[in-house]
Amino acid sequence: MTTLTIRMPDDKANRLKALAQSRNISVNKLIEELSTIALTEFDAQVRFEVRAARANAEQGLALLDDLEKLEAAD
């Protein structure tokens, strides 16, 4: 496990401490949870961008047309 030291304004650090306390967890655990959320969002964005780069616009539009037809049939 790695130890990471960060610098931030005192007011922000105090707010993070208050947030951690309100959740009954340590600041360390809070930062770990927040970083997991940030990394998950980043991974989703990268996956989306990779898929978008491989996409076929005509095929995508055809799928949307098919979906529209299905919805109209209901």
Side-chain angles (χ1 to χ4, degrees):
M1 186 168 290
T2 300
T3 299
L4 178 66
T5 302
I6 59 171
R7 285 187 218 50
M8 68 176 63
D10 290 339
D11 61 324
K12 188 179 289 186
N14 290 332
R15 291 180 68 203
L16 285 170
K17 288 177 189 175
L19 177 58
Q21 188 174 28
S22 75
R23 294 183 179 185
N24 295 316
I25 59 175
S26 66
V27 173
N28 184 71
K29 184 67 176 169
L30 176 67
I31 298 301
E32 185 180 344
E33 289 177 1
L34 294 174
S35 64
T36 297
I37 292 167
L39 289 170
T40 300
E41 290 174 355
F42 176 72
D43 290 345
Q45 178 183 347
V46 169
R47 282 193 305 274
F48 175 81
E49 290 171 355
V50 167
R51 286 184 174 192
R54 289 190 225 153
N56 178 317
E58 288 180 20
Q59 188 178 26
L61 291 171
L63 288 172
L64 289 175
D65 287 341
D66 291 345
L67 179 60
E68 191 174 273
K69 289 175 190 172
L70 287 172
E71 289 177 345
D74 285 338

